[in-house]
Amino acid sequence: MPTNFSLNGKIVSAKSAGDTPLLWVIRDELGLNGTKFGCGIGQCGACTVHVNGAPVRSCQTPLSTVEGKKVATVESLSTNNSHPLQKAWIAHEVPQCGYCQSGQLMSAAALLTSKQNPTDAEIQEAMDGNLCRCGTYNRIRAAIKTAATEMRNQA
């Protein structure tokens, strides 16, 4: 039986087995490749997506648990890099290899949904589970602060 949920604002019907990790449904069945496979055990954060607004590790989220829910991937931010986080990421030259960036962006987006002016400690806590092999953590923190400022100014 198909699993129906909203993916980036569109209702989709996934035919994969209910115990299939959401990551593979998003990538292989639904064709969105922004969400990355990193470790497969939920510890690196590369596969982070939002389910009903909360960041989750899609490699550890069974498809059956998203029935009727709203799932958002990095593609939901914007298709032309116009989201404040994407602009800040570019301005601060955050990505090096770039592999972890979709998960970093989705964790940052969840943070800025709940905290309009996050402190360094709040940024650290929100981003703690997202690993960056290139070590651009200072740039990530600066980009989040820049995006937060832009988002407050837009409000």
Side-chain angles (χ1 to χ4, degrees):
M1 189 155 132
T3 301
N4 300 306
F5 61 98
S6 171
L7 180 62
N8 299 336
K10 293 181 181 178
I11 300 298
V12 296
S13 183
K15 294 173 180 53
S16 297
D19 62 348
T20 304
L22 180 59
L23 169 67
W24 299 120
V25 173
I26 291 169
R27 290 184 61 81
D28 296 343
E29 184 176 338
L30 302 174
L32 295 179
N33 61 9
T35 304
K36 304 298 184 201
F37 172 79
C39 65
I41 58 173
Q43 292 187 352
C44 74
C47 68
T48 302
V49 299
H50 295 175
V51 175
N52 286 349
V56 301
R57 303 299 196 249
S58 63
C59 73
Q60 296 292 298
T61 303
L63 173 62
S64 62
T65 65
V66 300
E67 173 72 42
K69 295 181 180 175
K70 295 178 182 179
V71 176
T73 67
V74 70
E75 289 93 347
S76 71
L77 296 180
S78 83
T79 57
N80 62 359
N81 294 328
S82 63
H83 188 281
L85 277 167
Q86 292 168 315
K87 292 191 301 189
W89 245 242
I90 293 166
H92 288 276
E93 299 178 344
V94 171
Q96 286 187 12
C97 81
Y99 199 80
C100 69
Q101 296 310 302
S102 61
Q104 298 278 1
L105 283 161
M106 293 307 285
S107 291
L111 169 65
L112 294 182
T113 298
S114 64
K115 303 280 183 180
Q116 292 184 348
N117 192 18
T119 65
D120 284 345
E122 289 167 333
I123 293 171
Q124 178 67 37
E125 182 179 340
M127 304 302 291
D128 202 28
N130 291 78
L131 303 179
C132 174
R133 293 181 66 173
C134 301
T136 64
Y137 298 110
N138 290 333
R139 290 186 222 172
I140 290 168
R141 186 172 33 260
I144 291 170
K145 288 181 175 187
T146 296
T149 299
E150 181 177 339
M151 292 168 81
R152 285 192 311 274
N153 290 340
Q154 289 177 353

